[in-house]
Amino acid sequence: MKIAVCMKQVPAVSEGNMDPKTGVLLRAGMEAIVNVYDLAALEAALRMKESIDASIHVFTMGPSKAESVLREAFAMGADEGWLICDKAFAGADVLATSYTLMQAIRAVGDFDLILCGKQTTDGDTAQVSGGLARWMDIPHANWVTEVINISHKEINVRYNMENSTVTASMSLPCLVSVEKDFFIPRMPSLKLKISGKKKTVHVLTIEDLEDQDKKHYGLSGSATKVRKIFPPPRTKHQEPVTFDGDKAAEYILSQLSDVNLF
């Protein structure tokens, strides 16, 4: 069985600057880490590998420094790593990102299962996994909390809906995105970390893909167009105040009136 895991490098902090013209996050000089939701996807793949013969291929899209994502995946037990790196891919929204991932995965070969994290901490859209499944034309399940059983033909999972929990069976190939609280990532192995430094990271550029039309990638291939961006208002430091009885009620009423809430 061949399992593909999609992972991403994200900023380690919640603050950053954006290009006012394109709306793209300016990542230069920012500390980067592996998206925690994607670590859960890798953990899910590793647990499956413990119960069924499988090879785990990790795909990450980003600049050359995103290679560190693959090195960390090697240290946890991944078998192969693929860095999707080309200037043509820069500035992609969820549509262009999912399309690029589809092209990259198909360029490598056929996979029985694709695993994704629920979302990323820098975008929070939770749309890439669904978009990827649509491009691949395969069934998918989101918000998976448990992999009940997996064979070479099908996978049984349990996932959350808004007010219920669903148990589903899907034929392979398919895509699954997982909830991070139910797949706590294991600690990297020192032995695997050492051996992982010697492993080859495969690089995929637009020339390796079947579709080499640059209009389908990056900013050009993005359906989302940013009209305006601005930083959220910062909360000013407020000194605590203390009142008793009617004075407290009058103060609360005055505060609500000031912001037109009463």
Side-chain angles (χ1 to χ4, degrees):
M1 174 178 290
K2 289 179 65 176
I3 301 176
V5 181
C6 298
M7 302 181 68
K8 185 182 180 183
Q9 189 178 66
V10 296
V13 296
S14 60
E15 297 180 358
N17 295 320
M18 299 184 75
D19 187 316
K21 293 184 178 180
T22 64
V24 174
L25 181 66
L26 300 176
R27 301 172 185 268
M30 299 179 66
E31 182 184 355
I33 58 173
V34 181
N35 179 47
V36 64
Y37 292 93
D38 297 338
L39 287 173
L42 177 58
E43 174 62 29
L46 292 169
R47 293 184 191 181
M48 293 178 197
K49 186 177 179 180
E50 292 170 353
S51 62
I52 192 170
D53 183 31
S55 60
I56 300 174
H57 298 242
V58 174
F59 291 80
T60 188
M61 177 177 158
S64 57
K65 69 176 183 178
E67 178 181 323
S68 61
V69 173
L70 303 175
R71 297 297 177 191
E72 186 165 344
F74 289 153
M76 292 178 64
D79 299 294
E80 300 287 344
W82 302 85
L83 175 61
I84 309 167
C85 183
D86 196 299
K87 290 183 179 179
F89 305 149
D93 68 353
V94 293
L95 180 68
T97 296
S98 59
Y99 184 75
T100 307
L101 287 170
M102 177 273 288
Q103 285 286 322
I105 292 172
R106 285 185 172 173
V108 173
D110 295 328
F111 285 86
D112 301 289
L113 179 65
I114 301 174
L115 285 165
C116 301
K118 176 185 176 182
Q119 62 195 65
T120 58
T121 56
D122 59 347
D124 286 338
T125 64
Q127 295 174 349
V128 170
S129 60
L132 177 56
R134 186 65 181 267
W135 287 120
M136 300 290 291
D137 194 23
I138 57 177
H140 72 285
N142 292 333
W143 312 299
V144 169
T145 60
E146 181 183 358
V147 176
I148 301 170
N149 183 52
I150 184 170
S151 69
H152 289 281
K153 293 184 178 181
E154 66 178 18
I155 184 171
N156 300 312
V157 298
R158 184 171 289 114
Y159 63 92
N160 287 332
M161 296 292 284
E162 185 175 2
N163 297 311
S164 62
T165 300
V166 179
T167 300
S169 177
M170 296 185 293
S171 298
L172 304 183
C174 66
L175 182 146
V176 169
S177 71
V178 304
E179 292 275 10
K180 71 179 181 67
D181 293 339
F182 296 88
F183 297 91
I184 307 300
R186 64 194 65 192
M187 293 294 294
S189 160
L190 178 59
K191 180 179 179 180
L192 290 176
K193 190 172 184 178
I194 295 173
S195 64
K197 290 182 178 180
K198 302 176 183 178
K199 282 194 171 185
T200 300
V201 169
H202 309 285
V203 179
L204 295 170
T205 68
I206 194 169
E207 295 181 356
D208 298 303
L209 309 185
E210 181 181 3
D211 180 5
Q212 298 181 12
D213 188 342
K214 293 184 179 181
K215 293 180 180 179
H216 298 159
Y217 302 95
L219 283 174
S220 298
S222 297
T224 305
K225 305 300 179 184
V226 179
R227 296 182 62 182
K228 181 181 180 181
I229 60 173
F230 53 88
R234 296 183 179 274
T235 303
K236 296 181 180 179
H237 177 71
Q238 299 290 341
E239 293 294 334
V241 295
T242 303
F243 297 103
D244 292 324
D246 292 341
K247 289 186 177 181
E250 291 174 0
Y251 178 78
I252 293 172
L253 180 61
S254 69
Q255 295 299 307
L256 294 174
S257 299
D258 289 344
V259 292
N260 297 318
L261 290 178
F262 190 86

